[in-house]
Amino acid sequence: MTDPVKRGTRRAEQARATRQRIIAAATELFVTHGYGATRLDQVAEQSGVAIQTVYFHFGNKHTLLKEALDVAAVGDDEPVPLLDRPWLIPIRQEPDPRQIIRMWLANSRSILERAAPLMRVVRGATGTDPELAAQWHIKQQQTRAAYALLVQLLNDRGALNPALTLDHARDVAFVLANIDSYLGYSDICGWTFDQWQHQTTQVLIAALLPGEGGGAVQNAGEA
C-alpha cells in the first residue's frame, strides 16, 4: 500500500509544478501580447493544462498576474517575503554605508531584470483597469516600505545625511530608484541595466550620505 504521507507529498509537488507552468506561460503571454489580449484559455493551452485547472489554482486573470509578479520579484514561488530572504543578510552585516547602497542596488537590478517586463504590462493597463491600478499602487507602496529598511541601515551606522529625516530619506530613495524611474531611463532614454545600476547607485550615495553632495537635498518642509 502506498504511504499516504508520500502520496500527499507527491500530489503537492505535482500541484506546485502545475502552478509553476501556468505562471511561466502567463508571464510569457502577458509580456508578448499585453494583459487585455491574453486569455486564460491561451494560458491553459500553453501550459498544457485544462482551463478549469487555471481557474482552480488562480481564480481569475488578475490573481494570475499578481502571482506572476510576486514570483518575478523574488525569483521563485517559495512563500518567503522579499525582505526575509538571504540576499539581505550580508547587507545587514555590512559596515560600509556606500557598500550597503551598492549591494542594495545590485539586488534591485536583479529584481528589475525579472519583474520590469511584467510591470510594464501592469503600468500600461492602469488607465483602463482599476484592479491593475490598485496592483501598481500596492507594488509601489511595498517598494517604498522596503526603502525604509535601507535608510534605517544607514541611520544605524550614523551614516545618514543629517539634513534628512528617516521618512524623507526613504521617499528620496524610493523616487530615485523605483520601477517608474527605471522604466523612464530604459524606455525613454534607452539605458541598459548596467547604466541604470551605476547611475542610481551614485545618485543614492550623493543624496543619502553626508559629505557626498547630498547637502542640496533637504527635508520637504525646509525647501
Side-chain angles (χ1 to χ4, degrees):
M1 181 179 295
T2 305
D3 186 332
V5 174
K6 290 183 179 180
R7 189 165 60 245
T9 300
R10 189 179 306 114
R11 282 199 297 265
E13 290 172 348
Q14 291 171 342
R16 182 178 182 182
T18 298
R19 286 177 59 87
Q20 289 172 339
R21 291 203 313 275
I22 294 170
I23 287 174
T27 298
E28 180 179 344
L29 290 167
F30 286 144
V31 171
T32 302
H33 302 296
Y35 179 78
T38 297
R39 304 190 312 272
L40 290 185
D41 64 312
Q42 295 171 319
V43 174
E45 180 178 1
Q46 183 148 324
S47 56
V49 301
I51 183 65
Q52 292 84 356
T53 303
V54 177
Y55 281 113
F56 173 78
H57 284 287
F58 300 99
N60 55 60
K61 192 163 68 167
H62 287 109
T63 300
L64 178 54
L65 177 58
K66 178 185 179 300
E67 294 282 342
L69 278 169
D70 289 344
V71 168
V74 298
D76 58 53
D77 62 348
E78 294 288 342
V80 181
L82 180 65
L83 296 183
D84 291 334
R85 287 180 171 255
W87 68 270
L88 197 53
I89 295 174
I91 297 179
R92 288 184 182 275
Q93 297 172 342
E94 174 59 48
D96 183 352
R98 293 170 185 80
Q99 187 63 11
I100 287 173
I101 293 175
R102 293 187 189 103
M103 294 166 71
W104 186 280
L105 265 297
N107 186 75
S108 297
R109 182 246 180 88
S110 297
I111 294 172
L112 286 173
E113 286 182 320
R114 296 189 300 264
L118 276 175
M119 291 300 284
R120 286 189 182 94
V121 172
V122 177
R123 188 180 68 167
T126 55
T128 57
D129 192 311
E131 288 196 47
L132 290 193
Q135 281 198 32
W136 177 266
H137 178 74
I138 289 170
K139 292 297 182 185
Q140 291 288 66
Q141 291 302 318
Q142 289 173 340
T143 303
R144 182 171 177 249
Y147 272 94
L149 174 58
L150 171 63
V151 167
Q152 188 63 57
L153 292 173
L154 300 176
N155 190 63
D156 289 346
R157 289 153 181 76
L160 188 64
N161 180 353
L164 301 173
T165 66
L166 290 175
D167 287 348
H168 189 53
R170 173 206 61 204
D171 290 346
V172 167
F174 163 72
V175 169
L176 291 174
N178 77 89
I179 182 67
D180 254 335
S181 176
Y182 166 73
L183 292 178
Y185 278 126
S186 172
D187 298 353
I188 298 174
C189 303
W191 285 26
T192 64
F193 280 113
D194 285 340
Q195 289 173 310
W196 175 86
Q197 181 181 344
H198 174 76
Q199 184 62 40
T200 305
T201 299
Q202 299 309 308
V203 170
L204 282 186
I205 288 174
L208 298 180
L209 304 185
E212 300 286 346
V217 181
Q218 298 176 314
N219 289 320
E222 299 175 2

